[in-house]
Amino acid sequence: IGSNAARLYICSFFNDGDDRARIKILEFVRVPVRLGDSVFLEGKVSEEKEQNLEKMLHAFKMLMELFQVEDFRACATSAFREALNGQEVTARLAEKTGIRIEIISGQEEAELIYKAHQGALEEGKKVLFVDVGGGSTEISLLHGENQLASRSFDLGGVRMLDGRDKAESWRQMKSWLKAVIKPLAPDYALGTGGNINKLFDLMNLKQGKFATLKQLTTTHAYVSSFSMEDRIKNLGLNPDRADVILPATEIYMAVLKAADVNKVTISGLGLKEGIVSGLLEKHYQTVIKRFQGNERFSIH
């Protein structure tokens, strides 16, 4: 449950016989609840947003029952972290729907995103993970299995749209990137999240291909040249993506510039895949032990 949208991701696990743990996607539902509009402007989850969440959770629960889901995690990120009534709302929703929402920290969010990529990174490379959400941006520098640095900042697409991004947050992020990340010389950045994936679609770039900072800047200007209506009609953007994609792109551009990294790629993986990988580890530890030395979680 993010600051812009909530996602239900139902998967099954199987061993493909080739020393790999496979995750098969059975169902994926995305609901644009836009929690951030309530929290970043009013400081709390509004009654209307809570009612929408309750309806959504009832629907998600029915789908999980139909798919005979054995276990799940319901995780909430930046908007719930910041909401003054976050704990009260999750308690009421648990009582009404039977679904307990975990409000995870920015650090755990970054770690789960990394977990989704275990076994999928190029060996020997320093990779700068950048996840720009609706309310926060998680940045981690990984070298193989080693995390060299990690921070979460209160900067996100919905937060910027609502005019609730603070100059101090920008200053902290840029200063940290220049002081900590730049000297470690990342080889490239890997962007996660719906906005960077859509940007790559607009640039006609596939997963595994790289975009330069100049290409991001050019694409940002291109999208900016369209009205909201035309972004939906001519560029094929969802209404809740058409407005948030520009501020999100500005965050990616600022990160690349401050870290002195000129190229970024995407994997298509993110927080939801990290949560699934964690559940896989929880339930299939004995199976995973057989994959010693080649513990890959392959999403398809």
Side-chain angles (χ1 to χ4, degrees):
I1 303 172
S3 303
N4 189 35
R7 298 166 179 84
L8 172 68
Y9 198 57
I10 300 178
C11 306
S12 65
F13 164 84
F14 66 96
N15 176 5
D16 69 358
D18 191 28
D19 225 20
R20 294 166 72 93
R22 281 273 198 201
I23 294 172
K24 173 73 175 175
I25 302 166
L26 302 179
E27 184 60 72
F28 174 57
V29 181
R30 180 180 182 275
V31 182
V33 287
R34 216 17 106 85
L35 272 182
D37 279 344
S38 166
V39 175
F40 304 143
L41 291 173
E42 303 165 17
K44 62 181 183 178
V45 177
S46 68
E47 187 176 339
E48 180 188 0
K49 296 292 185 186
E50 183 176 342
Q51 289 172 353
N52 288 340
L53 281 171
E54 184 184 341
K55 292 174 188 174
M56 183 193 79
L57 290 176
H58 278 302
F60 282 6
K61 186 175 183 180
M62 290 177 70
L63 280 170
M64 288 194 290
E65 288 172 356
L66 286 168
F67 277 93
Q68 299 181 332
V69 168
E70 295 174 23
D71 195 10
F72 70 92
R73 283 187 76 186
C75 299
T77 57
S78 180
F80 260 108
R81 284 198 290 267
E82 198 163 314
L84 296 174
N85 62 343
Q87 297 292 347
E88 299 168 32
V89 171
T90 57
R92 283 195 295 267
L93 289 173
E95 188 177 341
K96 292 176 180 177
T97 69
I99 294 177
R100 186 178 67 84
I101 297 171
E102 302 172 52
I103 302 175
I104 61 174
S105 68
Q107 182 64 34
E108 183 176 0
E109 190 175 347
E111 288 171 359
L112 285 168
I113 292 166
Y114 167 61
K115 183 182 284 292
H117 292 81
Q118 281 182 318
L121 296 177
E122 207 177 332
E123 287 187 20
K125 298 291 186 181
K126 292 179 186 174
V127 183
L128 185 65
F129 278 81
V130 187
D131 180 69
V132 177
S136 67
T137 294
E138 278 67 46
I139 305 173
S140 301
L141 182 61
L142 284 301
H143 189 197
E145 297 292 316
N146 301 315
Q147 186 181 85
L148 305 182
S150 183
R151 281 281 299 271
S152 178
F153 299 92
D154 289 335
L155 291 169
V158 177
R159 192 187 294 271
M160 286 177 65
L161 278 178
D162 292 338
R164 289 298 187 264
D165 55 315
K166 297 178 180 176
E168 178 61 17
S169 297
W170 282 102
R171 188 197 66 76
Q172 286 178 356
M173 185 181 77
K174 291 176 181 178
S175 296
W176 181 76
L177 287 164
K178 289 175 182 176
V180 177
I181 301 300
K182 184 178 176 180
L184 294 172
D187 292 289
Y188 62 90
L190 193 153
T192 62
N195 290 302
I196 191 77
N197 291 337
K198 183 53 68 175
L199 278 173
F200 268 63
D201 283 345
L202 293 172
M203 292 185 286
N204 292 316
L205 292 173
K206 304 294 184 185
Q207 290 178 21
K209 298 296 182 180
F210 287 94
T212 63
L213 176 56
K214 184 177 180 181
Q215 284 175 293
L216 287 188
T217 305
T218 301
T219 306
H220 179 274
Y222 173 69
V223 176
S224 299
S225 70
F226 290 84
S227 66
M228 268 289 294
E229 184 181 349
D230 286 340
R231 288 177 213 163
I232 296 167
K233 187 165 59 177
N234 299 333
L235 298 182
L237 299 179
N238 290 332
D240 67 304
R241 180 76 66 205
D243 55 356
V244 80
I245 193 169
L246 290 176
T249 305
E250 288 161 21
I251 297 174
Y252 282 110
M253 289 159 54
V255 170
L256 294 179
K257 188 174 181 180
D260 196 22
V261 177
N262 189 47
K263 60 181 185 176
V264 60
T265 188
I266 59 171
S267 65
L269 306 176
L271 178 59
K272 61 187 186 298
E273 287 84 9
I275 294 169
V276 167
S277 292
L279 287 170
L280 188 153
E281 286 181 345
K282 174 183 173 183
H283 288 280
Y284 299 101
Q285 198 60 249
T286 54
V287 178
I288 292 171
K289 282 176 182 175
R290 298 211 316 265
F291 304 151
Q292 210 65 35
N294 188 25
E295 297 179 4
R296 296 189 177 184
F297 305 110
S298 187
I299 313 295
H300 74 196

PDB file of all heavy atoms in Angstrom, residues 18-38:
ATOM      1  N   ASP A  18      15.655 -27.041 -12.715  1.00  0.00           N
ATOM      2  CA  ASP A  18      16.954 -26.554 -13.199  1.00  0.00           C
ATOM      3  C   ASP A  18      17.658 -25.747 -12.118  1.00  0.00           C
ATOM      4  O   ASP A  18      18.269 -24.713 -12.383  1.00  0.00           O
ATOM      5  CB  ASP A  18      16.753 -25.701 -14.453  1.00  0.00           C
ATOM      6  CG  ASP A  18      18.062 -25.381 -15.167  1.00  0.00           C
ATOM      7  OD1 ASP A  18      19.005 -26.182 -15.045  1.00  0.00           O
ATOM      8  OD2 ASP A  18      18.129 -24.332 -15.839  1.00  0.00           O
ATOM      9  N   ASP A  19      17.556 -26.246 -10.874  1.00  0.00           N
ATOM     10  CA  ASP A  19      18.227 -25.599  -9.752  1.00  0.00           C
ATOM     11  C   ASP A  19      17.762 -24.162  -9.526  1.00  0.00           C
ATOM     12  O   ASP A  19      18.528 -23.321  -9.077  1.00  0.00           O
ATOM     13  CB  ASP A  19      19.750 -25.613  -9.974  1.00  0.00           C
ATOM     14  CG  ASP A  19      20.482 -26.030  -8.695  1.00  0.00           C
ATOM     15  OD1 ASP A  19      19.839 -26.637  -7.827  1.00  0.00           O
ATOM     16  OD2 ASP A  19      21.686 -25.750  -8.577  1.00  0.00           O
ATOM     17  N   ARG A  20      16.504 -23.884  -9.858  1.00  0.00           N
ATOM     18  CA  ARG A  20      15.997 -22.523  -9.690  1.00  0.00           C
ATOM     19  C   ARG A  20      14.638 -22.546  -8.999  1.00  0.00           C
ATOM     20  O   ARG A  20      13.794 -23.387  -9.295  1.00  0.00           O
ATOM     21  CB  ARG A  20      15.852 -21.819 -11.039  1.00  0.00           C
ATOM     22  CG  ARG A  20      17.176 -21.569 -11.741  1.00  0.00           C
ATOM     23  CD  ARG A  20      16.923 -21.194 -13.179  1.00  0.00           C
ATOM     24  NE  ARG A  20      16.359 -19.851 -13.293  1.00  0.00           N
ATOM     25  CZ  ARG A  20      17.101 -18.754 -13.484  1.00  0.00           C
ATOM     26  NH1 ARG A  20      18.415 -18.847 -13.563  1.00  0.00           N
ATOM     27  NH2 ARG A  20      16.539 -17.586 -13.598  1.00  0.00           N
ATOM     28  N   ALA A  21      14.472 -21.607  -8.086  1.00  0.00           N
ATOM     29  CA  ALA A  21      13.172 -21.433  -7.428  1.00  0.00           C
ATOM     30  C   ALA A  21      12.357 -20.467  -8.286  1.00  0.00           C
ATOM     31  O   ALA A  21      12.729 -19.320  -8.461  1.00  0.00           O
ATOM     32  CB  ALA A  21      13.362 -20.867  -6.034  1.00  0.00           C
ATOM     33  N   ARG A  22      11.270 -20.939  -8.835  1.00  0.00           N
ATOM     34  CA  ARG A  22      10.454 -20.127  -9.736  1.00  0.00           C
ATOM     35  C   ARG A  22       9.245 -19.544  -9.013  1.00  0.00           C
ATOM     36  O   ARG A  22       8.617 -20.214  -8.202  1.00  0.00           O
ATOM     37  CB  ARG A  22       9.945 -20.986 -10.890  1.00  0.00           C
ATOM     38  CG  ARG A  22      10.979 -21.216 -11.979  1.00  0.00           C
ATOM     39  CD  ARG A  22      10.929 -20.089 -12.966  1.00  0.00           C
ATOM     40  NE  ARG A  22      11.580 -20.482 -14.202  1.00  0.00           N
ATOM     41  CZ  ARG A  22      12.042 -19.615 -15.091  1.00  0.00           C
ATOM     42  NH1 ARG A  22      11.931 -18.329 -14.869  1.00  0.00           N
ATOM     43  NH2 ARG A  22      12.607 -20.025 -16.202  1.00  0.00           N
ATOM     44  N   ILE A  23       8.914 -18.311  -9.344  1.00  0.00           N
ATOM     45  CA  ILE A  23       7.704 -17.684  -8.830  1.00  0.00           C
ATOM     46  C   ILE A  23       6.802 -17.386 -10.015  1.00  0.00           C
ATOM     47  O   ILE A  23       7.197 -16.679 -10.943  1.00  0.00           O
ATOM     48  CB  ILE A  23       8.028 -16.384  -8.057  1.00  0.00           C
ATOM     49  CG1 ILE A  23       8.822 -16.709  -6.792  1.00  0.00           C
ATOM     50  CG2 ILE A  23       6.737 -15.649  -7.696  1.00  0.00           C
ATOM     51  CD1 ILE A  23       9.348 -15.494  -6.079  1.00  0.00           C
ATOM     52  N   LYS A  24       5.621 -17.953 -10.012  1.00  0.00           N
ATOM     53  CA  LYS A  24       4.660 -17.761 -11.101  1.00  0.00           C
ATOM     54  C   LYS A  24       3.607 -16.759 -10.667  1.00  0.00           C
ATOM     55  O   LYS A  24       2.954 -16.935  -9.638  1.00  0.00           O
ATOM     56  CB  LYS A  24       4.005 -19.109 -11.443  1.00  0.00           C
ATOM     57  CG  LYS A  24       2.872 -19.023 -12.450  1.00  0.00           C
ATOM     58  CD  LYS A  24       3.381 -18.768 -13.848  1.00  0.00           C
ATOM     59  CE  LYS A  24       2.229 -18.820 -14.864  1.00  0.00           C
ATOM     60  NZ  LYS A  24       2.693 -18.467 -16.215  1.00  0.00           N
ATOM     61  N   ILE A  25       3.418 -15.698 -11.447  1.00  0.00           N
ATOM     62  CA  ILE A  25       2.410 -14.688 -11.143  1.00  0.00           C
ATOM     63  C   ILE A  25       1.031 -15.202 -11.558  1.00  0.00           C
ATOM     64  O   ILE A  25       0.807 -15.554 -12.711  1.00  0.00           O
ATOM     65  CB  ILE A  25       2.713 -13.373 -11.880  1.00  0.00           C
ATOM     66  CG1 ILE A  25       4.106 -12.851 -11.496  1.00  0.00           C
ATOM     67  CG2 ILE A  25       1.649 -12.325 -11.570  1.00  0.00           C
ATOM     68  CD1 ILE A  25       4.616 -11.761 -12.416  1.00  0.00           C
ATOM     69  N   LEU A  26       0.112 -15.240 -10.600  1.00  0.00           N
ATOM     70  CA  LEU A  26      -1.254 -15.702 -10.867  1.00  0.00           C
ATOM     71  C   LEU A  26      -2.221 -14.544 -11.073  1.00  0.00           C
ATOM     72  O   LEU A  26      -3.133 -14.625 -11.887  1.00  0.00           O
ATOM     73  CB  LEU A  26      -1.749 -16.577  -9.705  1.00  0.00           C
ATOM     74  CG  LEU A  26      -0.923 -17.824  -9.380  1.00  0.00           C
ATOM     75  CD1 LEU A  26      -1.537 -18.552  -8.198  1.00  0.00           C
ATOM     76  CD2 LEU A  26      -0.821 -18.745 -10.590  1.00  0.00           C
ATOM     77  N   GLU A  27      -2.029 -13.469 -10.312  1.00  0.00           N
ATOM     78  CA  GLU A  27      -2.942 -12.328 -10.404  1.00  0.00           C
ATOM     79  C   GLU A  27      -2.235 -11.057  -9.938  1.00  0.00           C
ATOM     80  O   GLU A  27      -1.441 -11.083  -9.001  1.00  0.00           O
ATOM     81  CB  GLU A  27      -4.180 -12.569  -9.537  1.00  0.00           C
ATOM     82  CG  GLU A  27      -5.247 -11.493  -9.628  1.00  0.00           C
ATOM     83  CD  GLU A  27      -5.796 -11.329 -11.028  1.00  0.00           C
ATOM     84  OE1 GLU A  27      -6.542 -12.208 -11.498  1.00  0.00           O
ATOM     85  OE2 GLU A  27      -5.442 -10.315 -11.661  1.00  0.00           O
ATOM     86  N   PHE A  28      -2.512  -9.945 -10.611  1.00  0.00           N
ATOM     87  CA  PHE A  28      -1.950  -8.659 -10.217  1.00  0.00           C
ATOM     88  C   PHE A  28      -3.027  -7.590 -10.375  1.00  0.00           C
ATOM     89  O   PHE A  28      -3.612  -7.442 -11.445  1.00  0.00           O
ATOM     90  CB  PHE A  28      -0.731  -8.314 -11.077  1.00  0.00           C
ATOM     91  CG  PHE A  28      -0.183  -6.929 -10.821  1.00  0.00           C
ATOM     92  CD1 PHE A  28       0.206  -6.555  -9.541  1.00  0.00           C
ATOM     93  CD2 PHE A  28      -0.061  -6.006 -11.841  1.00  0.00           C
ATOM     94  CE1 PHE A  28       0.709  -5.281  -9.289  1.00  0.00           C
ATOM     95  CE2 PHE A  28       0.434  -4.736 -11.606  1.00  0.00           C
ATOM     96  CZ  PHE A  28       0.828  -4.377 -10.326  1.00  0.00           C
ATOM     97  N   VAL A  29      -3.317  -6.888  -9.285  1.00  0.00           N
ATOM     98  CA  VAL A  29      -4.341  -5.834  -9.291  1.00  0.00           C
ATOM     99  C   VAL A  29      -3.722  -4.567  -8.714  1.00  0.00           C
ATOM    100  O   VAL A  29      -3.060  -4.597  -7.675  1.00  0.00           O
ATOM    101  CB  VAL A  29      -5.570  -6.223  -8.441  1.00  0.00           C
ATOM    102  CG1 VAL A  29      -6.628  -5.120  -8.491  1.00  0.00           C
ATOM    103  CG2 VAL A  29      -6.164  -7.548  -8.927  1.00  0.00           C
ATOM    104  N   ARG A  30      -3.939  -3.447  -9.399  1.00  0.00           N
ATOM    105  CA  ARG A  30      -3.425  -2.157  -8.931  1.00  0.00           C
ATOM    106  C   ARG A  30      -4.596  -1.199  -8.735  1.00  0.00           C
ATOM    107  O   ARG A  30      -5.424  -1.035  -9.630  1.00  0.00           O
ATOM    108  CB  ARG A  30      -2.441  -1.581  -9.953  1.00  0.00           C
ATOM    109  CG  ARG A  30      -1.836  -0.233  -9.569  1.00  0.00           C
ATOM    110  CD  ARG A  30      -0.873   0.235 -10.663  1.00  0.00           C
ATOM    111  NE  ARG A  30      -0.237   1.493 -10.316  1.00  0.00           N
ATOM    112  CZ  ARG A  30      -0.763   2.694 -10.543  1.00  0.00           C
ATOM    113  NH1 ARG A  30      -1.960   2.789 -11.107  1.00  0.00           N
ATOM    114  NH2 ARG A  30      -0.125   3.796 -10.206  1.00  0.00           N
ATOM    115  N   VAL A  31      -4.666  -0.582  -7.555  1.00  0.00           N
ATOM    116  CA  VAL A  31      -5.755   0.344  -7.230  1.00  0.00           C
ATOM    117  C   VAL A  31      -5.168   1.712  -6.872  1.00  0.00           C
ATOM    118  O   VAL A  31      -4.375   1.825  -5.930  1.00  0.00           O
ATOM    119  CB  VAL A  31      -6.598  -0.181  -6.040  1.00  0.00           C
ATOM    120  CG1 VAL A  31      -7.750   0.774  -5.752  1.00  0.00           C
ATOM    121  CG2 VAL A  31      -7.124  -1.579  -6.324  1.00  0.00           C
ATOM    122  N   PRO A  32      -5.518   2.773  -7.608  1.00  0.00           N
ATOM    123  CA  PRO A  32      -4.945   4.110  -7.359  1.00  0.00           C
ATOM    124  C   PRO A  32      -5.612   4.822  -6.186  1.00  0.00           C
ATOM    125  O   PRO A  32      -6.375   5.778  -6.357  1.00  0.00           O
ATOM    126  CB  PRO A  32      -5.211   4.838  -8.680  1.00  0.00           C
ATOM    127  CG  PRO A  32      -6.455   4.215  -9.199  1.00  0.00           C
ATOM    128  CD  PRO A  32      -6.410   2.767  -8.787  1.00  0.00           C
ATOM    129  N   VAL A  33      -5.299   4.387  -4.958  1.00  0.00           N
ATOM    130  CA  VAL A  33      -5.963   4.972  -3.782  1.00  0.00           C
ATOM    131  C   VAL A  33      -5.463   6.379  -3.452  1.00  0.00           C
ATOM    132  O   VAL A  33      -6.158   7.154  -2.802  1.00  0.00           O
ATOM    133  CB  VAL A  33      -5.809   4.062  -2.538  1.00  0.00           C
ATOM    134  CG1 VAL A  33      -6.677   2.837  -2.639  1.00  0.00           C
ATOM    135  CG2 VAL A  33      -4.350   3.662  -2.334  1.00  0.00           C
ATOM    136  N   ARG A  34      -4.219   6.713  -3.880  1.00  0.00           N
ATOM    137  CA  ARG A  34      -3.655   8.065  -3.675  1.00  0.00           C
ATOM    138  C   ARG A  34      -3.743   8.511  -2.209  1.00  0.00           C
ATOM    139  O   ARG A  34      -4.242   9.583  -1.881  1.00  0.00           O
ATOM    140  CB  ARG A  34      -4.411   8.991  -4.574  1.00  0.00           C
ATOM    141  CG  ARG A  34      -3.772  10.189  -5.303  1.00  0.00           C
ATOM    142  CD  ARG A  34      -2.324  10.336  -5.475  1.00  0.00           C
ATOM    143  NE  ARG A  34      -1.865  10.074  -6.815  1.00  0.00           N
ATOM    144  CZ  ARG A  34      -1.846  10.959  -7.810  1.00  0.00           C
ATOM    145  NH1 ARG A  34      -2.254  12.187  -7.628  1.00  0.00           N
ATOM    146  NH2 ARG A  34      -1.377  10.619  -8.987  1.00  0.00           N
ATOM    147  N   LEU A  35      -3.241   7.677  -1.313  1.00  0.00           N
ATOM    148  CA  LEU A  35      -3.231   7.994   0.117  1.00  0.00           C
ATOM    149  C   LEU A  35      -2.454   9.265   0.422  1.00  0.00           C
ATOM    150  O   LEU A  35      -2.777  10.005   1.349  1.00  0.00           O
ATOM    151  CB  LEU A  35      -2.594   6.846   0.904  1.00  0.00           C
ATOM    152  CG  LEU A  35      -3.467   5.697   1.380  1.00  0.00           C
ATOM    153  CD1 LEU A  35      -2.626   4.730   2.171  1.00  0.00           C
ATOM    154  CD2 LEU A  35      -4.623   6.206   2.218  1.00  0.00           C
ATOM    155  N   GLY A  36      -1.399   9.498  -0.356  1.00  0.00           N
ATOM    156  CA  GLY A  36      -0.532  10.637  -0.088  1.00  0.00           C
ATOM    157  C   GLY A  36      -1.255  11.965  -0.111  1.00  0.00           C
ATOM    158  O   GLY A  36      -0.914  12.882   0.646  1.00  0.00           O
ATOM    159  N   ASP A  37      -2.277  12.097  -0.966  1.00  0.00           N
ATOM    160  CA  ASP A  37      -3.021  13.358  -1.028  1.00  0.00           C
ATOM    161  C   ASP A  37      -3.632  13.705   0.317  1.00  0.00           C
ATOM    162  O   ASP A  37      -3.719  14.876   0.693  1.00  0.00           O
ATOM    163  CB  ASP A  37      -4.141  13.261  -2.080  1.00  0.00           C
ATOM    164  CG  ASP A  37      -3.625  13.483  -3.488  1.00  0.00           C
ATOM    165  OD1 ASP A  37      -2.514  13.997  -3.631  1.00  0.00           O
ATOM    166  OD2 ASP A  37      -4.341  13.135  -4.446  1.00  0.00           O
ATOM    167  N   SER A  38      -4.077  12.687   1.037  1.00  0.00           N
ATOM    168  CA  SER A  38      -4.674  12.898   2.353  1.00  0.00           C
ATOM    169  C   SER A  38      -3.594  13.172   3.402  1.00  0.00           C
ATOM    170  O   SER A  38      -3.644  14.159   4.130  1.00  0.00           O
ATOM    171  CB  SER A  38      -5.495  11.677   2.742  1.00  0.00           C
ATOM    172  OG  SER A  38      -5.834  11.693   4.104  1.00  0.00           O
TER     173      SER A  38
END
